[in-house]
Amino acid sequence: MTAPLLAAEGLCVELGGKAILRDLSVNFPSGRFVALLGPNGAGKTTALKALAGLVPARGRVSIAGEALARISSRERARRIGYLPQGHAVHWPLTARDVVALGRYPHGVADPARLSKRDAEAVDCAMARTDCAHLAHQPVQTLSGGERARVMLARVLATEAAILLADEPTAALDPRHQLAVMDDLKGESRRGTLVIAVTHDIALAARMADEIVLLHDGRLVAQGSPEAVLTDANLAQIYGVTVARPIIDGQAALVPWALS
């Protein structure tokens, strides 16, 4: 039996003496788009960081059956692309140079000096996120939506098998929210395991292959959107009722009222 691409067993995280993540056990194959949902304080960001090995945790995380703890930090960076919250950039670089930073795990120290192979990876990432036309613009001059696409391209340039994104659509307008989610969905269809933290249950229901629902640091449910985003779960975890109109032949999910 083939080992899952990414798995966690009994994952626990304490920060400042407080339990943030409690006995989380999940596993994911490649080529899936997973939405990590839960109310504020549920432990979503901590779970994502723990899966990437970025916070101290008890339990076990493995990549293709190999313990994450035994993998060097450089090799982890090649296998896991991590996109943190926000799109702030503090470097006076062009958009293409920012994307080229995604090749650092492969030994690129200077984004202005790329090998042919590295340049191909950068150009491909920018093309897939529709930001190639921004290549020579200073990244600080870009709009929030443009910057979000550039930062996603930076992660894609690493060519990691696993992509972990923390609220990649936060503070974006609806057009750019859809564009970023489309990009993430596209990556999963190319074989990448994509796990994204989001507060947008409507987009998650429409786009994700799988939902992981957390509450108070614990796993509530894992499965298809239809199996997890039930009226009972949404009322219990979020305290809301939802409408489910049919749009273009597909059931949508719209938070409607307090339950």
Side-chain angles (χ1 to χ4, degrees):
M1 183 175 179
T2 304
L5 179 57
L6 180 64
E9 301 171 16
L11 206 57
C12 299
V13 176
E14 291 186 4
L15 298 174
K18 180 181 178 181
I20 306 298
L21 201 61
R22 309 164 189 261
D23 197 28
L24 178 66
S25 294
V26 290
N27 65 80
F28 310 101
S30 59
R32 299 284 282 175
F33 184 15
V34 180
L36 187 53
L37 300 181
N40 292 333
K44 302 183 297 298
T45 292
T46 299
L48 206 68
K49 289 181 176 180
L51 289 172
L54 298 177
V55 293
R58 299 194 308 274
R60 173 185 166 91
V61 177
S62 59
I63 299 178
E66 184 178 2
L68 185 66
R70 297 181 180 177
I71 301 174
S72 69
S73 57
R74 176 61 66 90
E75 183 60 23
R76 288 185 195 183
R78 283 193 285 261
R79 297 196 196 186
I80 301 176
Y82 181 77
L83 183 64
Q85 288 185 28
H87 310 293
V89 180
H90 305 290
W91 318 298
L93 298 173
T94 65
R96 190 171 191 275
D97 283 349
V98 168
V99 176
L101 294 174
R103 300 303 294 173
Y104 180 78
H106 297 275
V108 174
D110 184 351
R113 300 177 65 182
L114 301 177
S115 70
K116 180 180 178 181
R117 176 69 187 86
D118 293 318
E120 288 174 350
V122 169
D123 292 340
C124 183
M126 296 191 78
R128 294 212 304 258
T129 54
D130 193 25
C131 64
H133 61 290
L134 305 172
H136 302 296
Q137 292 192 34
V139 73
Q140 292 94 337
T141 68
L142 303 180
S143 70
E146 291 170 336
R147 199 176 303 120
R149 304 294 285 273
V150 168
M151 298 308 288
L152 177 56
R154 178 186 62 80
V155 177
L156 298 187
T158 303
E159 300 180 307
I162 300 167
L163 195 165
L164 307 179
D166 193 359
E167 296 195 39
T169 62
L172 298 182
D173 62 41
R175 175 181 174 82
H176 285 100
Q177 289 178 5
L178 287 168
V180 168
M181 292 294 274
D182 275 340
D183 288 340
L184 294 174
K185 182 85 167 182
E187 286 309 302
S188 72
R189 293 299 173 261
R190 293 182 179 93
T192 303
L193 168 60
V194 177
I195 304 176
V197 170
T198 180
H199 282 290
D200 194 325
I201 59 176
L203 270 180
R206 180 182 172 192
M207 298 283 204
D209 301 309
E210 187 172 334
I211 304 291
V212 172
L213 183 59
L214 298 182
H215 181 56
D216 195 25
R218 300 183 187 277
L219 177 66
V220 175
Q222 179 181 4
S224 68
E226 295 79 12
V228 173
L229 298 177
T230 63
D231 290 347
N233 279 342
L234 294 172
Q236 176 188 354
I237 303 303
Y238 286 100
V240 299
T241 60
V242 297
R244 300 179 187 269
I246 303 299
I247 302 175
D248 293 334
Q250 180 179 353
L253 188 155
V254 182
W256 195 254
L258 300 178
S259 60

